[in-house]
PDB file of all heavy atoms in Angstrom:
ATOM      1  N   LEU U   9      81.721 107.402  94.698  1.00  0.00           N
ATOM      2  CA  LEU U   9      81.358 108.882  94.673  1.00  0.00           C
ATOM      3  C   LEU U   9      81.792 109.469  93.351  1.00  0.00           C
ATOM      4  O   LEU U   9      81.020 110.270  92.698  1.00  0.00           O
ATOM      5  CB  LEU U   9      82.093 109.600  95.750  1.00  0.00           C
ATOM      6  CG  LEU U   9      81.570 109.290  97.195  1.00  0.00           C
ATOM      7  CD1 LEU U   9      82.519 109.843  98.263  1.00  0.00           C
ATOM      8  CD2 LEU U   9      80.186 109.955  97.407  1.00  0.00           C
ATOM      9  N   GLU U  11      81.807 108.055  90.620  1.00  0.00           N
ATOM     10  CA  GLU U  11      80.851 107.509  89.623  1.00  0.00           C
ATOM     11  C   GLU U  11      79.388 108.183  89.732  1.00  0.00           C
ATOM     12  O   GLU U  11      78.535 107.849  88.971  1.00  0.00           O
ATOM     13  CB  GLU U  11      80.747 106.051  89.688  1.00  0.00           C
ATOM     14  CG  GLU U  11      82.020 105.300  89.318  1.00  0.00           C
ATOM     15  CD  GLU U  11      81.884 103.800  89.571  1.00  0.00           C
ATOM     16  OE1 GLU U  11      80.909 103.378  90.128  1.00  0.00           O
ATOM     17  OE2 GLU U  11      82.863 103.139  89.223  1.00  0.00           O
ATOM     18  N   LEU U  16      76.688 104.717 101.537  1.00  0.00           N
ATOM     19  CA  LEU U  16      76.109 104.689 102.890  1.00  0.00           C
ATOM     20  C   LEU U  16      77.031 104.025 103.957  1.00  0.00           C
ATOM     21  O   LEU U  16      77.567 103.017 103.659  1.00  0.00           O
ATOM     22  CB  LEU U  16      74.762 103.866 102.751  1.00  0.00           C
ATOM     23  CG  LEU U  16      74.050 103.665 104.076  1.00  0.00           C
ATOM     24  CD1 LEU U  16      73.554 105.027 104.654  1.00  0.00           C
ATOM     25  CD2 LEU U  16      72.808 102.777 103.864  1.00  0.00           C
ATOM     26  N   TRP U  19      78.619 105.460 111.893  1.00  0.00           N
ATOM     27  CA  TRP U  19      79.613 105.819 112.885  1.00  0.00           C
ATOM     28  C   TRP U  19      79.935 104.532 113.694  1.00  0.00           C
ATOM     29  O   TRP U  19      79.081 103.761 114.201  1.00  0.00           O
ATOM     30  CB  TRP U  19      79.066 106.852 113.856  1.00  0.00           C
ATOM     31  CG  TRP U  19      79.002 108.188 113.298  1.00  0.00           C
ATOM     32  CD1 TRP U  19      77.886 108.918 112.918  1.00  0.00           C
ATOM     33  CD2 TRP U  19      80.123 109.030 112.976  1.00  0.00           C
ATOM     34  NE1 TRP U  19      78.246 110.180 112.481  1.00  0.00           N
ATOM     35  CE2 TRP U  19      79.580 110.261 112.495  1.00  0.00           C
ATOM     36  CE3 TRP U  19      81.495 108.957 113.120  1.00  0.00           C
ATOM     37  CZ2 TRP U  19      80.349 111.355 112.072  1.00  0.00           C
ATOM     38  CZ3 TRP U  19      82.286 110.027 112.688  1.00  0.00           C
ATOM     39  CH2 TRP U  19      81.725 111.171 112.182  1.00  0.00           C
ATOM     40  N   GLY U  35      76.264  95.182 104.139  1.00  0.00           N
ATOM     41  CA  GLY U  35      76.202  95.968 102.777  1.00  0.00           C
ATOM     42  C   GLY U  35      76.525  97.439 102.960  1.00  0.00           C
ATOM     43  O   GLY U  35      76.385  98.091 101.933  1.00  0.00           O
ATOM     44  N   LEU U  50      95.410 103.538 118.737  1.00  0.00           N
ATOM     45  CA  LEU U  50      95.894 103.170 117.476  1.00  0.00           C
ATOM     46  C   LEU U  50      96.021 101.644 117.200  1.00  0.00           C
ATOM     47  O   LEU U  50      95.649 101.177 116.050  1.00  0.00           O
ATOM     48  CB  LEU U  50      97.273 103.836 117.238  1.00  0.00           C
ATOM     49  CG  LEU U  50      97.200 105.293 116.970  1.00  0.00           C
ATOM     50  CD1 LEU U  50      98.632 105.911 116.995  1.00  0.00           C
ATOM     51  CD2 LEU U  50      96.467 105.637 115.642  1.00  0.00           C
ATOM     52  N   GLY U 114     101.698 117.819  99.750  1.00  0.00           N
ATOM     53  CA  GLY U 114     101.437 118.099 101.223  1.00  0.00           C
ATOM     54  C   GLY U 114     102.671 117.976 102.013  1.00  0.00           C
ATOM     55  O   GLY U 114     103.770 117.968 101.520  1.00  0.00           O
ATOM     56  N   ARG U 143      95.814 110.057  95.756  1.00  0.00           N
ATOM     57  CA  ARG U 143      94.603 110.061  94.930  1.00  0.00           C
ATOM     58  C   ARG U 143      93.365 109.375  95.678  1.00  0.00           C
ATOM     59  O   ARG U 143      92.285 109.867  95.571  1.00  0.00           O
ATOM     60  CB  ARG U 143      94.863 109.361  93.609  1.00  0.00           C
ATOM     61  CG  ARG U 143      93.721 109.262  92.716  1.00  0.00           C
ATOM     62  CD  ARG U 143      94.026 108.548  91.363  1.00  0.00           C
ATOM     63  NE  ARG U 143      94.345 107.116  91.715  1.00  0.00           N
ATOM     64  CZ  ARG U 143      95.516 106.585  91.536  1.00  0.00           C
ATOM     65  NH1 ARG U 143      96.604 107.288  91.198  1.00  0.00           N
ATOM     66  NH2 ARG U 143      95.742 105.321  91.749  1.00  0.00           N
ATOM     67  N   VAL U 168      89.075 120.111 100.847  1.00  0.00           N
ATOM     68  CA  VAL U 168      88.114 119.126 101.537  1.00  0.00           C
ATOM     69  C   VAL U 168      87.231 118.543 100.562  1.00  0.00           C
ATOM     70  O   VAL U 168      86.601 119.133  99.733  1.00  0.00           O
ATOM     71  CB  VAL U 168      87.388 119.844 102.678  1.00  0.00           C
ATOM     72  CG1 VAL U 168      86.269 118.930 103.134  1.00  0.00           C
ATOM     73  CG2 VAL U 168      88.301 120.247 103.806  1.00  0.00           C
ATOM     74  N   LEU U 182      74.939 127.633 117.144  1.00  0.00           N
ATOM     75  CA  LEU U 182      74.005 128.717 116.749  1.00  0.00           C
ATOM     76  C   LEU U 182      73.092 129.124 117.959  1.00  0.00           C
ATOM     77  O   LEU U 182      72.199 129.938 117.739  1.00  0.00           O
ATOM     78  CB  LEU U 182      73.184 128.222 115.590  1.00  0.00           C
ATOM     79  CG  LEU U 182      73.887 128.057 114.298  1.00  0.00           C
ATOM     80  CD1 LEU U 182      72.930 127.357 113.278  1.00  0.00           C
ATOM     81  CD2 LEU U 182      74.368 129.376 113.700  1.00  0.00           C
ATOM     82  N   VAL U 184      71.072 127.080 119.820  1.00  0.00           N
ATOM     83  CA  VAL U 184      69.793 126.406 119.940  1.00  0.00           C
ATOM     84  C   VAL U 184      70.130 124.979 120.256  1.00  0.00           C
ATOM     85  O   VAL U 184      69.732 124.085 119.496  1.00  0.00           O
ATOM     86  CB  VAL U 184      68.934 126.580 118.692  1.00  0.00           C
ATOM     87  CG1 VAL U 184      68.348 127.992 118.664  1.00  0.00           C
ATOM     88  CG2 VAL U 184      69.760 126.263 117.415  1.00  0.00           C
ATOM     89  N   VAL U 230      71.963 113.775  99.444  1.00  0.00           N
ATOM     90  CA  VAL U 230      73.407 113.949  99.605  1.00  0.00           C
ATOM     91  C   VAL U 230      74.031 112.631  99.153  1.00  0.00           C
ATOM     92  O   VAL U 230      73.387 111.497  99.436  1.00  0.00           O
ATOM     93  CB  VAL U 230      73.827 114.365 101.015  1.00  0.00           C
ATOM     94  CG1 VAL U 230      73.293 115.681 101.348  1.00  0.00           C
ATOM     95  CG2 VAL U 230      73.533 113.280 101.998  1.00  0.00           C
TER      96      VAL U 230
END
Side-chain angles (χ1 to χ4, degrees):
L9 288 170
E11 293 172 356
L16 180 63
W19 285 108
L50 289 173
R143 181 180 63 251
V168 167
L182 294 172
V184 288
V230 300

